[in-house]
């Protein structure tokens, strides 16, 4: 992707490495600096008590008075680059959706994006890395553990930056649905109906988020030519790779359509493509579509 001219979002909350319950801080102003003094204390303590020095450091880092010499807790450079990339993609979705909302005389409330590792608390319960990236409507935050991108590449064979961006754009699509009241309506319609109906509604919600991701792709590319040749196919591969039928085949070895919650590979590609070709949200009414 061409993101050189793209500003980073100010809405990224970096909780990586802070462990469960760690309150994040804005991007760049990361907490977790550890003073030289506390490293010495940790080493001494671990020597005498047989405790892992990192455990002691973890206990000490929150008590550290500010303003003294610090050894910054650095992330591996590759992960920091990944975090900057995600932040730029989020920035691009902010510009795009702000524009679309204002064209419709509405104002766009930007979601936050939380980078975490392992587990993290959310207003929707405990977020876990194994869940893959997700959006929590109750706190209006997108959650992602960047290890998911390794899975996308290695396990789902869907490499490429636009594929990675599509994942963020899909979650932001859920945020747009939340702002528009669509998610609430779906949740209401899911009360007291059969499991098959609940899942069918969920599929429509997911395919619409794919279509909204496509709308972002079209509009952002129109504004800043961010998509490079061949990248659309990469994103389609990702949409296809995380279709329910493909995932079920991989995990259960068989396909049970009533239990689909995201749509088949073919459907996910089609609805993403529909947004990407038109750049028009009105093309994304999966709830009115006779067939998906
Ligand atoms: Zn989704």
């Amino acid at each position: 992707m061409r993101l050189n001219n793209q500003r980073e979002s100010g809405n990224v909350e970096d909780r990586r490495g802070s462990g469960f319950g760690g309150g994040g801080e804005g991007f760049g102003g990361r907490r977790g600096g550890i003073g030289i003094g506390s490293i010495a204390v940790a080493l001494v303590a671990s020597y005498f008590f047989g405790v892992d020095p990192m455990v002691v450091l973890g206990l000490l880092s929150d008590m550290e008075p500010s303003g003294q010499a610090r050894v910054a807790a650095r992330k591996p450079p590759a992960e920091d680059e990944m975090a900057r990339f995600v932040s730029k993609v989020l920035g691009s979705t902010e510009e795009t959706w702000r524009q679309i909302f204002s064209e419709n005389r509405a104002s766009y409330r930007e979601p936050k994006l939380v980078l975490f590792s392992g587990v993290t608390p959310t207003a929707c319960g405990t977020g876990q890395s194994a869940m893959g990236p997700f959006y929590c409507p109750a706190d209006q935050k997108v959650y992602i553990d960047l290890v998911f991108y390794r899975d996308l590449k290695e396990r789902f064979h869907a490499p490429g930056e636009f594929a990675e961006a599509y994942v963020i754009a899909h979650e932001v699509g859920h945020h747009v649905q939340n702002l528009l009241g669509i998610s609430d309506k779906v949740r209401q319609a899911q009360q007291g109906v059969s499991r098959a109906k609940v899942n069918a509604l969920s599929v429509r919600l997911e395919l619409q988020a794919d279509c909204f991701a496509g709308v972002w792709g079209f509009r952002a590319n129109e504004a800043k030519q961010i998509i490079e040749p061949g990248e659309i196919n990469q994103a389609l591969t990702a949409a296809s790779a995380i279709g329910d039928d493909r995932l079920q085949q991989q995990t259960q070895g068989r396909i049970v359509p009533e239990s689909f919650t995201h749509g088949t590979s073919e459907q996910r590609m089609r609805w993403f493509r529909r947004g990407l070709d038109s750049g028009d949200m009105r093309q994304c009414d999966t709830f009115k579509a006779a067939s998906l």
Side-chain angles (χ1 to χ4, degrees):
M1 288 181 76
R2 284 182 285 255
L3 291 171
N4 287 343
N5 297 327
Q6 180 60 53
R7 66 169 182 91
E8 290 182 30
S9 168
N11 288 310
V12 174
E13 194 182 308
D14 194 351
R15 295 184 192 167
R16 291 172 299 164
S18 64
F20 192 93
E25 254 187 25
F27 215 30
R30 179 181 298 155
R31 196 171 61 184
I34 294 167
I36 301 284
S38 47
I39 292 178
V41 171
L43 290 174
V44 169
S46 59
Y47 179 82
F48 285 106
F49 304 117
V51 185
D52 179 345
M54 295 320 283
V55 172
V56 180
L57 285 173
L59 295 173
L60 286 174
S61 61
D62 279 342
M63 310 186 301
E64 191 70 24
S66 57
Q68 55 174 271
R70 278 164 184 275
V71 179
R74 295 300 307 157
K75 302 278 175 262
E79 240 202 61
D80 268 349
E81 203 175 302
M82 200 74 246
R84 265 196 303 280
F85 168 80
V86 166
S87 179
K88 284 187 171 192
V89 171
L90 185 66
S92 173
T93 65
E94 287 163 357
E95 288 161 19
T96 301
W97 286 111
R98 202 183 305 136
Q99 179 67 29
I100 294 174
F101 271 60
S102 87
E103 286 164 12
N104 291 286
R105 292 187 196 77
S107 66
Y108 180 61
R109 198 169 343 115
E110 297 168 353
K112 295 261 188 261
L113 184 146
V114 177
L115 297 172
F116 72 101
S117 45
V119 288
T120 200
T122 85
C124 301
T126 300
Q128 291 182 33
S129 179
M131 297 156 72
F134 63 96
Y135 172 73
C136 170
D139 57 21
Q140 305 201 353
K141 292 178 182 181
V142 171
Y143 292 85
I144 184 169
D145 183 329
L146 294 176
V147 298
F148 177 76
Y149 284 145
R150 198 187 52 211
D151 279 357
L152 195 62
K153 210 181 308 170
E154 291 170 9
R155 205 171 129 218
F156 301 126
H157 308 291
E161 288 187 338
F162 194 52
E164 291 161 359
Y166 150 75
V167 169
I168 303 293
H170 171 93
E171 300 309 332
V172 171
H174 284 312
H175 175 65
V176 170
Q177 292 174 318
N178 190 21
L179 294 183
L180 297 176
I182 297 169
S183 329
D184 269 348
K185 270 196 203 143
V186 168
R187 262 193 301 276
Q188 278 160 24
Q190 285 173 325
Q191 300 303 313
V193 297
S194 68
R195 177 107 303 249
K197 273 234 173 67
V198 168
N199 289 343
L201 282 164
S202 166
V203 167
R204 285 176 195 262
L205 196 67
E206 291 301 328
L207 294 177
Q208 185 176 62
D210 282 335
C211 189
F212 284 172
V215 168
W216 159 76
F218 177 96
R219 302 276 302 231
N221 194 48
E222 191 180 47
K224 292 187 173 165
Q225 293 79 50
I226 56 168
I227 304 176
E228 295 188 75
E231 283 194 316
I232 288 181
N233 280 333
Q234 291 177 346
L236 288 169
T237 302
S240 157
I242 53 185
D244 281 329
D245 50 349
R246 191 79 63 84
L247 288 182
Q248 283 189 357
Q249 195 100 54
Q250 280 177 356
T251 55
Q252 313 172 348
R254 67 200 160 88
I255 298 169
V256 189
E258 312 81 74
S259 69
F260 286 179
T261 53
H262 281 72
T264 65
S265 294
E266 201 271 327
Q267 287 170 332
R268 294 201 72 167
M269 286 205 286
R270 188 140 38 81
W271 283 96
F272 176 58
R273 183 94 236 189
R274 200 161 156 147
L276 193 60
D277 287 343
S278 66
D280 181 4
M281 279 178 84
R282 282 162 302 193
Q283 298 297 315
C284 299
D285 195 347
T286 53
F287 296 94
K288 287 234 171 76
S291 81
L292 296 171

